[in-house]
Amino acid sequence: MNGQNGLNLSRRIRRTPYTSNVENHGVTGFSVVNHTLLPKSFQNTLEDDYLHLQEHVQIWDVGCQRQVEIKGKDATKLIDLMTPRTVENMGIGKCLYVPLTDTNGGIINDPILTKIAEEHYYLSVADSDVLLWARGLAIGFKLNVRIREPDVWPLAVQGPKAPLVLSEIFGDKINTLKKFNFDWFPIEGSNQIIARTGYSRNGGFEIYLSRPELGDNLWKTIWKVGEAHNIRPGCPNIIDRVEAGLLSYGNEMTVENTPLECNMDKFINIEKETDFIGKKTLLRQKQYGVRRRIRGVVFNGPKIPTITRPLEVFDKEKRKIIGSLTSGAHSPRFNKNIGVGMIDKGYWDENEKIEVKIDETNFCDGLIKNLPLVK
Amino acid sequence: MNGQNGLNLSRRIRRTPYTSNVENHGVTGFSVVNHTLLPKSFQNTLEDDYLHLQEHVQIWDVGCQRQVEIKGKDATKLIDLMTPRTVENMGIGKCLYVPLTDTNGGIINDPILTKIAEEHYYLSVADSDVLLWARGLAIGFKLNVRIREPDVWPLAVQGPKAPLVLSEIFGDKINTLKKFNFDWFPIEGSNQIIARTGYSRNGGFEIYLSRPELGDNLWKTIWKVGEAHNIRPGCPNIIDRVEAGLLSYGNEMTVENTPLECNMDKFINIEKETDFIGKKTLLRQKQYGVRRRIRGVVFNGPKIPTITRPLEVFDKEKRKIIGSLTSGAHSPRFNKNIGVGMIDKGYWDENEKIEVKIDETNFCDGLIKNLPLVK
C-alpha cells in the first residue's frame, strides 16, 4: 500500500460545500476528519505543492475542521474546565490554541478556540468528537450552556500571497487583521468571520462560512481573483507542516500523550486556579518531568514518501528503539528527509545523533532538531 | 466521483491487526470508521460478493468496531443513563442492541452492549466517539467507573457456513451459542470472547480478540479451515444489509434522528424508571408521534451503483420531496433497485407508490416496503 488506496464513499463521510470544486480541480486523494472529507492530494507532486505554497497562494477545503459552538451563562466555565490554558480573560475577536485534556492529562483534541462574544465560543476541532465530550461534561455538571455543531464550514486561503487575494475581495481591513485574531466581513449580504490563522508555516486566513449555500460562489470568487496570483487548490502540506513544527492530532499525539510531552508548556498554565480536567496528573508530570517529548529529526537516506506508518528511531550504538516519527517526508529545502515524533528522554538535545529505520534494509543517520525546523 | 476515490493514509487512520491480510487478499477500497480502516470492497463485484454471502462464509475485518469498556461500581448506572433500553436485568454473556441518546433524543450511537461480568461491559460502537461521551458524563456525574478503549479488535465470520468453519476450530460449543449471546473460547492459550452476532442477514460470529498480536494467525487459521467451505474475504455488504433492514449510523440515522424515527420502538422502553438522557423529549415524541420514519423502498429504473449520496424520494403526483434514501444498491434477488431512508408521515404504508430520483433524467417508480425486505 503506497500511501494511498481506494476510499469508498457514503453519506456517513460528509461532503463539504467545497467538495465539488475540489473534484473539479482534480483532487486525487482524500482523508477523513471528523466524519468529513479532507482533500489530501491533487495532480501535482507533494514537493511541487510545497514549493508553490512557499511563494504563492492556495485555497484549501478545510470544511472538516468542524466547529463546536458553546454558548450560554456557563460557557467560559465549561471551557476553562476543559483546558489547562487560561481562557478567562480572553478578548472577543481572539483565537487561541487550546489543548483539551482528559483526567489522566491525555490530549482529547487540540482545537482553536474563537471567542465570538461574551459567553459565546467556537472550538475548531481536530479529529475527535469534542461535541460529545463537551455535552457529556455539561450534562453531568449541570452547566447552563447550549452546545451544538453549527453549519459552519471553514475555507482556508494560505501562503504569502493570501493577503493580496483576500484584500482584493474584502478590502484593506484584511491587512489589519493580526495573527490569531478574527473580524467580521460581508459575503453576499451575510456577515462572516475571517480569522488570520491556518495550518501552514506562512499562514493566511480561514473563512468560517456559516452559509454553506454560498460556498460554491465563495470558492469561485477567490479562485478568480487568485488566478492573477498563481493560486492553486491545495491542502495542509506535510513538508511545510513538519518544517513549521505544526502537530497533527492522531498523528504526533493521541489521548496517550499529554500537552507537556507535546511541547505545549508555553501555551498552558497548569497552575491556574480552576480544577481543570487532568490538573492533578499534569501537576505531577510537571514536577517529575516527562519521559518522552516531540522532537524534529533531519535524516539521510533515499527520499522517503510521506510517512503513513511510524518510522522507528534508534540509538545507533545501543541498537535500541528510542522513539518514532509519525509524520514526515523528503524536504527540498534541506535536501534530506525530515520528520517529527515522540523521542525518549536522553535524546532531546539539538544535533543528537540518531538513526531512522526507513525500511528493513535502510537504517539512516539523522540528527535531532528543535521545532520548528524552519522559522 | 464514482463512489470511490483515493484515500491518503496516515497514522491517524488506524490499521487493525488484520489489515495486512486484507491487503494480501487484494482489498480495493476502504472506509474510515472510528479513526480506523474498514475494508469496503475486494476484487469481486458487490453483487458477486452478495451472492457468495448468501450461501457460503466470509471473513471480515471489523476491527473498526471499537470497544468502549465500562467497568466499576456504577457501570450499570451509567449505561442505564445512556440508553432508553432496559439494561438493569441483563444477564452475563448477553449482547444487546442499545441506541444511545442525547438530551434531545437524537441518536449518538447504536452499539452492541456486551455484559462481560457484573458491572463490566463493552459497548461495540459505530462511528462516533462514545468513549468521550461516556467519560464526559462519568466525570460530570462523579460516577465510580473506569472507561477505556481496550486493545480489542473484532473479527467477523459471517454467512451460513460460519458455524461449520468456527466449529472446526473451536469445537461443537460454537453451535450451542444462541443469537446475541457470547462465550469464552481458547485462542493460543488466551481466553477470548466469541459472540453470535454480526452485520449480515444470515449472521454469524464476531471474535472480540483482545490480543492483537494473535490477529494474523487467527485470520490465517480461519482462512485455512474456510477454504474447504469456499471462504472469501468480505465486508458488510450493502445489498445484504439493506435487504436485512440493518441500519448504519451516519447513513440512515444521525444525531438528528431519534430511536422512534428509526423503528427501534420494540428495543427500547422510554417509560423505564431511570431518567435516561433524552427521556423527556422521547416521551413527548412517543405521545405526539413521529413525522418521519425509516422505511424500505424497492424501485425500478437502470441498475444503480451503491448509493453514496442520498437519493430524493418523491410523491409522484404532487411532485413533492417526501424523503430520501441514504443506503441502497441494485438487488439481484429482486432484480430491482432497493434502498432505505427516512420517509415523511403519510407515505409509510406497505406498497405505497413513490418515485425515486436516480439522477437528473431518471425519476423511477417504486414501492414503500416494510423492513426487513427479506426475512
Side-chain angles (χ1 to χ4, degrees), chain A residues 1 11 23 102 135 251, chain B residues 1 11 23 102 135 251:
Chain A
M1 188 147 61
R11 179 198 181 202
E23 288 167 346
D102 202 347
R135 278 194 183 163
N251 286 311
Chain B
M1 188 149 57
R11 178 197 181 203
E23 288 166 347
D102 202 346
R135 279 194 182 162
N251 286 309

Side-chain angles (χ1 to χ4, degrees), chain B residues 67-80 86-98 111-124 177 180-184 192-197 208:
Chain B
Q67 308 303 304
V68 176
E69 182 180 38
I70 302 181
K71 195 174 174 177
K73 202 169 70 64
D74 295 328
T76 306
K77 190 172 170 187
L78 173 58
I79 292 165
D80 193 31
T86 302
V87 295
E88 275 189 304
N89 299 314
M90 183 178 181
I92 293 167
K94 297 282 175 190
C95 309
L96 279 186
Y97 181 64
V98 289
I112 298 287
L113 175 68
T114 296
K115 185 162 179 177
I116 314 281
E118 288 306 334
E119 303 298 358
H120 185 189
Y121 301 88
Y122 283 172
L123 286 165
S124 186
L177 259 186
F180 281 86
N181 281 258
F182 76 85
D183 209 335
W184 297 88
Q192 301 291 341
I193 288 172
I194 301 183
R196 194 149 200 163
T197 51
Y208 285 67

Side-chain angles (χ1 to χ4, degrees), chain A residues 49-219:
Chain A
D49 275 339
Y50 160 81
L51 292 171
H52 178 268
L53 180 60
Q54 308 310 306
E55 275 195 66
H56 304 290
V57 55
Q58 296 185 356
I59 181 169
W60 297 0
D61 172 5
V62 290
C64 67
Q65 293 172 196
R66 308 304 302 143
Q67 306 304 305
V68 175
E69 184 181 37
I70 302 180
K71 195 174 174 176
K73 201 169 68 64
D74 294 329
T76 307
K77 191 173 168 186
L78 173 58
I79 293 164
D80 193 31
L81 204 60
M82 290 167 75
T83 179
R85 185 151 195 175
T86 302
V87 295
E88 276 188 305
N89 298 314
M90 183 178 180
I92 293 168
K94 296 283 175 191
C95 309
L96 278 187
Y97 181 64
V98 288
L100 310 180
T101 45
D102 202 347
T103 36
N104 61 359
I107 300 174
I108 276 178
N109 205 293
D110 66 331
I112 298 286
L113 175 69
T114 296
K115 185 162 181 177
I116 315 281
E118 288 305 333
E119 302 299 357
H120 185 189
Y121 300 88
Y122 283 171
L123 285 166
S124 187
V125 302
D127 188 30
S128 71
D129 296 331
V130 172
L131 185 80
L132 297 182
W133 173 241
R135 278 194 183 163
L137 291 171
I139 293 169
F141 284 116
K142 297 180 177 48
L143 298 179
N144 188 350
V145 285
R146 193 183 67 157
I147 302 169
R148 58 171 201 138
E149 181 179 302
D151 209 2
V152 168
W153 299 88
L155 178 65
V157 182
Q158 299 284 301
K161 293 182 185 166
L164 279 175
V165 173
L166 288 203
S167 61
E168 267 190 54
I169 300 168
F170 297 105
D172 199 43
K173 184 174 156 194
I174 277 289
N175 296 313
T176 65
L177 259 185
K178 290 190 187 131
K179 274 197 176 179
F180 280 84
N181 281 257
F182 76 85
D183 209 335
W184 297 88
F185 293 84
I187 296 183
E188 297 193 39
S190 71
N191 218 5
Q192 302 290 341
I193 287 172
I194 302 183
R196 193 147 203 166
T197 50
Y199 202 50
S200 71
R201 193 177 59 84
N202 283 306
F205 302 89
E206 290 178 306
I207 306 170
Y208 285 67
L209 186 68
S210 66
R211 295 268 304 275
E213 72 279 13
L214 304 180
D216 185 59
N217 245 339
L218 176 61
W219 180 288

Side-chain angles (χ1 to χ4, degrees), chain A residues 332-347:
Chain A
R333 182 191 302 263
F334 290 93
N335 196 23
K336 283 181 192 268
N337 297 314
I338 59 172
V340 284
M342 282 288 169
I343 302 291
D344 288 349
K345 193 173 170 174
Y347 300 88

